[in-house]
Amino acid sequence: MKEFNFNYQASKNYKKKLVYFLKSLSNVEIGGARLYDGLGNNYIQNPNEIAELVFFLKSYEKKNKLKLNNFLEIGFASGINNTILNKFFNFKKNVAIDIVQPTGINYGTFYANLRFKKLVLLCGNSTSPEILKSTKILGNYDIIFIDGGHEYKIVKSDFINYSKLLSNNGLIILHDIKSNVVKGVPKFWRELKKSHKSKFKFKEIFNGGNKMNCGLGILSKKDGK
């Protein structure tokens, strides 16, 4: 395929090219175009959902006349998601949390995605007081992407702890809100929409019909404070 141009354009044609590019990185089970090869170097996100997310975030910046500069990602994995979003937004502050486990990821891919970005990688469990303290020291965040532990207690803990670090006009993104593989995140998302509807606006991005469905849930503060 031709080299993809990360210079964002708000057009249907550009979105089509972006989806095509992302499909080349993702396996067919999750909506991509790659066959599973067991090497752990694939993008574990639905291509259509990520393309829609990029367009939503760019539109959000334009509508609110702001720049989403500071990014916190809970669940770095091999870093592909971090790199792709950073390509579009060139974060001034890019903080990621992960236990960096030896299984399921490709080391070459992992090391490649540590390069050429302003990245602080906190190696540990997102629920530990030490990791939370370090994340707080680094400041507030415009985007908090929660994609770490998918058990109900963990995702709930991540939301409670890290939502406090959201900037006034920031966004929280939860991955796997429509998963047909894990149950914890969808359960928490349903509860969140009921318990926090007075505080947050909710948006869902979902491209279903795959062997492994994902879904992205986006929250923004209603009063911007």
Side-chain angles (χ1 to χ4, degrees):
M1 63 176 292
K2 294 182 179 179
E3 181 179 353
F4 179 74
N5 186 347
F6 282 97
N7 293 323
Y8 174 79
Q9 302 168 33
S11 69
K12 291 182 179 180
N13 186 51
Y14 184 79
K15 183 184 283 188
K16 183 178 179 180
K17 290 180 180 179
L18 175 56
V19 170
Y20 181 76
F21 167 71
L22 295 173
K23 281 188 175 184
S24 71
L25 305 176
S26 305
N27 288 345
V28 293
E29 291 84 359
I30 206 167
R34 290 180 48 175
L35 290 176
Y36 176 72
D37 58 13
L39 298 178
N41 57 8
N42 57 300
Y43 188 23
I44 314 174
Q45 298 282 349
N46 180 284
N48 288 283
E49 293 174 1
I50 292 298
E52 193 65 38
L53 175 64
V54 169
F55 270 67
F56 172 81
L57 294 176
K58 287 292 185 180
S59 175
Y60 184 84
E61 286 186 326
K62 184 177 180 179
K63 179 181 178 180
N64 293 279
K65 298 179 181 179
L66 55 78
K67 178 72 172 68
L68 297 169
N69 282 317
N70 304 321
F71 182 52
L72 171 63
E73 183 176 38
I74 302 170
F76 183 78
S78 60
I80 300 175
N81 189 58
N82 190 285
T83 292
I84 287 173
L85 292 178
N86 188 67
K87 288 281 189 181
F88 282 108
F89 297 95
N90 191 26
F91 299 118
K92 288 185 177 180
K93 178 167 60 182
N94 187 346
V95 180
I97 301 171
D98 203 288
I99 57 175
V100 192
Q101 58 188 354
T103 58
I105 64 171
N106 180 282
Y107 288 129
T109 304
F110 174 78
Y111 286 119
N113 286 298
L114 295 177
R115 306 178 68 196
F116 308 121
K117 65 177 77 166
K118 304 179 186 74
L119 175 68
V120 176
L121 178 59
L122 300 174
C123 300
N125 194 311
S126 62
T127 62
S128 77
E130 292 80 9
I131 292 294
L132 179 57
K133 182 179 179 180
S134 296
T135 312
K136 286 181 178 179
I137 291 172
L138 291 167
N140 288 347
Y141 303 91
D142 302 321
I143 301 175
I144 299 177
F145 198 110
I146 301 177
D147 190 18
H150 285 57
E151 294 85 356
Y152 175 81
K153 289 184 179 180
I154 294 177
V155 69
K156 182 177 182 178
S157 174
D158 284 344
F159 178 83
I160 292 172
N161 289 332
Y162 294 96
S163 62
K164 299 173 184 176
L165 306 181
L166 187 67
S167 63
N168 287 344
N169 292 297
L171 299 161
I172 300 174
I173 304 168
L174 274 73
H175 185 243
D176 278 329
I177 63 163
K178 298 287 187 179
S179 175
N180 55 353
V181 179
V182 299
K183 297 181 179 180
V185 183
K187 178 183 177 182
F188 178 67
W189 177 251
R190 290 192 297 270
E191 292 180 1
L192 198 59
K193 287 193 295 182
K194 294 179 180 179
S195 62
H196 285 63
K197 60 183 179 181
S198 62
K199 184 177 181 180
F200 289 102
K201 296 177 183 177
F202 292 83
K203 177 179 175 60
E204 296 183 353
I205 297 175
F206 180 55
N207 174 252
N210 303 294
K211 184 175 181 180
M212 295 175 61
N213 290 329
C214 301
L216 295 168
I218 305 171
L219 300 92
S220 59
K221 296 178 182 179
K222 281 190 173 181
D223 56 5
K225 297 179 182 180

